[in-house]
Amino acid sequence: MNDVQILMPAPMPAAVIAALDARFTLHRLWEQPDADVFLAEHGPHMRGLAANTLAGPVGPALFDRLPVLEIVANFGVGYDNIDAGAAAARGITVTNTPGVLDAEVADLAIGLLLATIRRLPQADRYVRDGKWVDAPFPLSPTLRDRTVGILGLGAIGRQIARRLEGFDVAIAYHQRTPRDDVSYAYHDSPVALAAACDVLIAIVPGGDGTRHLVDGAVLAALGRDGILVNVARGSVVDQPALIDALRDGTILAAGLDVYADEPHVPDDLRAMENVVLLPHLGSASEHTRAAMGRLVVDNLVSWFDRGTALTPVPETA
C-alpha cells in the first residue's frame, strides 16, 4: 500500500506517523514551506487524510483540493472539526476513535468534579505558599447530598454515571430521547435538568447542534450552590454567560477542561478562585492517546486493504 498517498495536515504522535510511514506514502503538510503550493501539486493524489483538531476545519475548501479523497481518519472521538455532511455528499468516509478513550475521559470528569467541589488546586497552592502555618485552609463545599445531572448520556456519560454511583449521589440526565436501559431520572431539557440538580456535567458532542446548550438560563436554573463541569467542548457552554454567572454568584463554581477558543483562556476565568482550569486533558494519557493513534492507523489500513472502515461516524456510515 506504499503507493497510497495520505495527507497529515498537523502533527500526530510519533507512533502514528511511524505506523503510517510504514504502510503508506505519508505527506506532512506542516513541514511544507508553502502549503498552498504543495496542495496544488500533490492534493489531486491524496486518497486519505489523517486529521486532528490542530489541523483546523476540514470541509469543502480542503475537499476541493483533494478530489480523489476517500477517507478522513480523525484522531479523537469528537469530530466537530470535520464537516461530515459535506464529506458524505462527496462519498468520503469519516472515522473517529470511539470507545478507546471513554474510561479516561470519565475518570478525568470525576477528578475534575472532586477538585472543583473540594477546592483541591486552591488547597495545594495554600500549602505551597506557606499559609497553612498561619491558619487552616477554609472548609470546602461537599459532594454529599447532591444530585448530579449529566448532560449527554452517551458512552462517556454512562461511564461517568457508573463512577458516580460509587459516591452514593442521586443521578439525573438529559439527552434528546430517554434511554430504556438506565434507571436515572430523565429530564426533557437542559434547563429542567439544571433545575433538578446542583452539579451539571456536560459531555455532549460539539457542533452547531449543541452550541451554547449551557446558556444563561441553564446556569440560572443550576443555582447559587451549583457547580458546572465541562468535559465536552468549549462551544457547548456560553462562555461569557458562564463568566458572568461565576462573577455574580449565580452558580458556585466551575471545573473546565475545554474552552471556546483553545488554548486561549479568558483572563476573567484565570483570575477567578472558584474555577478549576485544565488544559484539555480529557484523553491526554500516554495509554489512551496510543490507543487512539492505533485506531486512526487501523481505520486507514482497513479501508485501503478491505474497503471498509472500522469506526465510521454516523453521517458517513
Side-chain angles (χ1 to χ4, degrees):
M1 286 189 295
N2 290 82
D3 58 333
V4 174
Q5 299 196 42
I6 304 291
L7 179 68
M8 185 179 287
M12 286 191 184
V16 178
I17 294 174
L20 292 178
D21 262 333
R23 300 298 297 269
F24 306 100
T25 299
L26 181 66
H27 299 272
R28 301 158 173 80
L29 186 60
W30 72 93
E31 294 182 350
Q32 303 304 320
D34 190 317
D36 286 333
V37 170
F38 178 86
L39 287 173
E41 181 178 353
H42 298 283
H45 308 293
M46 300 297 166
R47 296 174 60 193
L49 181 70
N52 60 24
T53 54
L54 297 177
V58 176
L62 182 57
F63 295 153
D64 285 344
R65 310 193 74 173
L66 310 174
V68 298
L69 185 66
E70 301 172 30
I71 182 171
V72 178
N74 190 55
F75 183 81
V77 66
Y79 53 95
D80 45 305
N81 55 310
I82 298 170
D83 190 334
R90 297 172 186 236
I92 300 168
T93 294
V94 176
T95 68
N96 63 343
T97 60
V100 296
L101 52 72
D102 296 353
E104 203 76 80
V105 177
D107 290 349
L108 189 282
I110 298 300
L112 182 53
L113 170 59
L114 293 174
T116 303
I117 201 165
R118 295 299 308 274
R119 305 186 68 232
L120 300 184
Q122 295 90 329
D124 176 87
R125 288 197 301 272
Y126 193 84
V127 174
R128 292 177 188 275
D129 291 345
K131 295 180 180 179
W132 191 18
V133 297
D134 299 321
F137 186 72
L139 299 179
S140 73
T142 181
L143 187 59
R144 301 302 95 224
D145 300 321
R146 286 180 178 265
T147 296
V148 180
I150 301 176
L151 187 59
L153 202 66
I156 301 174
R158 292 197 302 276
Q159 293 239 18
I160 292 171
R162 285 197 289 271
R163 285 156 175 73
L164 286 168
E165 290 174 1
F167 290 88
D168 295 323
V169 295
I171 300 170
Y173 74 102
H174 166 75
Q175 57 181 29
R176 291 176 183 172
T177 56
R179 302 186 64 96
D180 58 10
D181 57 350
V182 299
S183 59
Y184 314 129
Y186 174 76
H187 297 275
D188 62 4
S189 72
V191 170
L193 177 64
C197 66
D198 38 31
V199 173
L200 183 64
I201 301 176
I203 186 59
V204 294
D208 292 341
T210 59
R211 179 173 176 79
H212 292 181
L213 196 62
V214 178
D215 58 11
V218 171
L219 295 169
L222 188 57
R224 297 186 64 83
D225 197 38
I227 293 174
L228 172 70
V229 174
N230 188 10
V231 287
R233 283 287 191 263
S235 60
V236 170
V237 174
D238 182 339
Q239 193 164 271
L242 174 61
I243 291 170
D244 289 343
L246 289 163
R247 181 189 295 120
D248 300 342
T250 301
I251 66 171
L252 179 65
L256 306 175
D257 189 40
V258 290
Y259 309 90
D261 182 25
E262 298 177 6
H264 307 289
V265 179
D267 291 343
D268 287 334
L269 284 176
R270 293 192 292 114
M272 290 178 175
E273 280 296 308
N274 57 339
V275 186
V276 175
L277 305 172
L278 301 181
H280 202 153
L281 295 180
S283 64
S285 73
E286 293 180 358
H287 168 87
T288 296
R289 289 292 171 86
M292 292 166 61
R294 287 193 296 271
L295 189 48
V296 169
V297 174
D298 290 346
N299 266 301
L300 288 166
V301 171
S302 179
W303 180 262
F304 289 108
D305 264 357
R306 297 178 290 279
T308 59
L310 301 178
T311 54
V313 303
E315 294 91 333
T316 67

